[in-house]
Amino acid sequence: MGQKVHPYGLRLGINKKWKSTWYEAGSGYAKSLHEDLFLRKTLMSYPECKNADIADIEISRQSNKVINVMIHTARPGVLIGTKGATIEKINASLQKLVDGKTVKVKVKEIRRPELEAQIVALNVARQLKGRRPFRKALKSAVFGAMKAGALGIKIKISGRLGGAEMSRDFEQKEGRVPLHTLRANIDYGFAEADTTFGVIGVKVWIFKGEVLGSEAKKDDAGTLLRKREDKEMINA
């Protein structure tokens, strides 16, 4: 405990799902894995995607010939474009990167971007790049997340803050952020602000509540029958 573990990887399989959902046996696994990484990197490098506030990219494969790419964004209109022209252009460019496979790009809108750690990190980085005072940028981001319903948020920035000669860290925290609790739903985001005096890193942790395993499981037929018998006995 106490080590710097990625909040997403630590909870993978507990209350977090895989961002790539497919199965590949043998030597084809490494090829599909690198193909996913290349598609994500290429997609984020497009000018249309840089200002679209993309929080996540999910990739699923129905078969060896079809690749489904789901983009979670807070600004779907920027990605879709006029009459779908932008999304068709992105789909066609990704299609050229894979040999003999069909790429289907879909867009999913994020209703509450204030609760998405990646979008909060991108917004803070954008404000730092625009030379807004870092304390005001962090304070407004924390206020917006708590107002949207977050139970806790922590933002940490590191670099030449305010153009100072020596780099340092600054942290803003509100509420609870239990990083050691596995059942805690912690959303993590990271972004970089390329300023004239260097790169400033932005890390965001948002605590959305606890996910209890007993609530997610459904009762089997035997348990439901026993509950019904107990209820009938009580009513009798």
Side-chain angles (χ1 to χ4, degrees):
M1 305 300 285
Q3 302 300 315
K4 294 179 177 63
V5 181
H6 198 289
Y8 186 89
L10 182 66
R11 293 166 178 81
L12 197 60
I14 299 174
N15 57 19
K16 299 290 184 182
K17 297 187 298 183
W18 278 259
K19 296 182 179 180
S20 293
T21 53
W22 45 266
Y23 176 78
E24 190 77 40
S27 59
Y29 174 81
K31 183 180 179 181
S32 299
L33 175 63
H34 286 285
E35 194 172 58
D36 283 6
L37 296 174
F38 182 63
L39 286 175
R40 284 193 176 94
K41 185 177 180 180
T42 306
L43 189 60
M44 293 303 298
S45 65
Y46 290 152
E48 298 86 359
C49 299
K50 288 185 177 180
N51 295 323
D53 286 346
I54 295 177
D56 199 5
I57 299 173
E58 294 182 357
I59 297 177
S60 62
R61 298 170 186 262
Q62 295 177 347
S63 62
N64 294 331
K65 300 296 183 181
V66 181
I67 303 175
N68 295 316
V69 180
M70 178 67 73
I71 304 175
H72 297 259
T73 175
R75 303 172 66 186
V78 177
L79 281 179
I80 296 174
T82 306
K83 298 182 180 180
T86 306
I87 196 67
E88 290 180 0
K89 180 182 176 182
I90 293 174
N91 201 345
S93 60
L94 292 179
Q95 184 67 52
K96 298 177 182 178
L97 302 177
V98 293
D99 297 330
K101 298 178 183 179
T102 303
V103 178
K104 296 181 180 179
V105 180
K106 299 179 181 179
V107 178
K108 186 176 181 179
E109 183 182 3
I110 297 174
R111 299 291 183 180
R112 305 176 75 180
E114 298 87 1
L115 294 178
E116 292 293 329
Q118 183 62 33
I119 295 179
V120 173
L122 290 171
N123 288 334
V124 172
R126 193 178 297 119
Q127 294 179 50
L128 295 177
K129 190 175 181 180
R131 296 197 175 187
R132 187 183 181 186
F134 62 92
R135 287 186 177 85
K136 289 185 178 180
L138 267 62
K139 192 173 182 179
S140 62
V142 168
F143 177 77
M146 296 300 291
K147 186 178 179 181
L151 298 180
I153 179 174
K154 182 172 73 170
I155 305 178
K156 186 175 182 180
I157 59 177
S158 179
R160 294 182 58 187
L161 306 180
E165 290 294 327
M166 185 175 292
S167 63
R168 62 190 177 98
D169 299 336
F170 183 80
E171 185 178 299
Q172 187 86 19
K173 186 178 179 182
E174 185 77 23
R176 293 175 56 231
V177 187
L179 298 180
H180 290 176
T181 307
L182 291 177
R183 65 175 178 269
N185 184 10
I186 304 290
D187 193 17
Y188 174 75
F190 173 75
E192 291 181 344
D194 295 325
T195 64
T196 56
F197 39 81
V199 178
I200 298 177
V202 182
K203 294 181 179 180
V204 179
W205 297 263
I206 296 179
F207 176 45
K208 300 181 180 180
E210 294 184 354
V211 180
L212 302 178
S214 59
E215 296 179 356
K217 295 181 180 178
K218 295 182 179 179
D219 295 333
D220 57 5
T223 306
L224 291 173
L225 183 60
R226 285 192 295 271
K227 286 183 178 180
R228 187 181 303 172
E229 291 176 351
D230 294 340
K231 188 175 181 181
E232 290 176 355
M233 291 178 62
I234 293 172
N235 293 333

